Amino acid sequence: MQSLDDSRLLVRIGAAVRARRKECGLSQHQLALLSGLDRTFVGGVERGERNLSVITLHQISKALDASITLFLQDK
Amino acid sequence: MQSLDDSRLLVRIGAAVRARRKECGLSQHQLALLSGLDRTFVGGVERGERNLSVITLHQISKALDASITLFLQDK
């Protein structure tokens, strides 16, 4: 069962992915292509709605040329 | 499809979980109880065989009183 704390983590990850994607000047579609994911899945990740796996987050981080830890910083 | 790079990530996460668990003086069984996971699943994570979700890794990090980023450091 997903706790409030867990939901906050997903929202935080999503916001960090969106911020980094925009920094890179990429659309969700382009990020999806680069990371081998579906565009609607990327949208769900950015909205904090997806409990993604560490490998999927790793693929996103490689596509955004960032360390995976960037998306998990405790702000 | 899981690349070699992805497999290395899982092995790295597993080794970091095991090291932190031992630092805390916990058995796999105790970590499983604390994080609400199955003991065999914890064993699989430590062997780098599980593509766990970020929430599951978050639950493990809370049980081990560590930041989730500890398990994702690029050594």
Side-chain angles (χ1 to χ4, degrees):
Chain A
M1 215 202 67
Q2 197 170 304
S3 72
L4 186 59
D5 195 26
D6 293 331
S7 306
R8 282 201 195 105
L9 171 70
L10 297 183
V11 168
R12 209 172 67 219
I13 290 172
V17 168
R18 173 167 287 163
R20 179 60 185 169
R21 172 175 63 78
K22 291 188 170 182
E23 250 175 46
C24 297
L26 297 173
S27 66
Q28 283 186 350
H29 179 65
Q30 289 167 319
L31 173 55
L33 285 176
L34 286 167
S35 49
L37 298 169
D38 184 80
R39 210 246 358 116
T40 55
F41 183 86
V42 170
V45 166
E46 291 193 356
R47 288 189 302 275
E49 295 166 357
R50 299 281 178 177
N51 179 21
L52 65 169
S53 74
V54 289
I55 283 184
T56 298
L57 185 57
H58 190 220
Q59 288 164 340
I60 290 173
S61 68
K62 286 188 288 188
L64 294 175
D65 193 26
S67 163
I68 192 170
T69 53
L70 174 71
F71 305 106
L72 295 158
Q73 301 294 351
D74 302 317
K75 288 271 179 336
Chain B
M1 211 200 72
Q2 198 171 302
S3 72
L4 185 59
D5 194 27
D6 292 331
S7 306
R8 283 200 194 106
L9 171 71
L10 297 183
V11 167
R12 208 171 69 219
I13 290 171
V17 168
R18 174 168 286 163
R20 178 62 186 165
R21 173 174 63 78
K22 291 187 171 182
E23 248 175 49
C24 297
L26 296 173
S27 66
Q28 282 185 350
H29 179 66
Q30 289 167 319
L31 174 55
L33 284 176
L34 285 167
S35 50
L37 298 168
D38 183 80
R39 210 255 345 127
T40 56
F41 183 86
V42 170
V45 167
E46 291 194 357
R47 289 189 301 274
E49 295 166 357
R50 299 281 178 178
N51 179 22
L52 65 168
S53 73
V54 290
I55 283 183
T56 298
L57 184 56
H58 190 220
Q59 287 163 340
I60 290 174
S61 68
K62 285 188 288 188
L64 294 174
D65 193 27
S67 162
I68 192 170
T69 54
L70 173 71
F71 306 105
L72 295 157
Q73 302 294 348
D74 301 317
K75 289 274 178 337

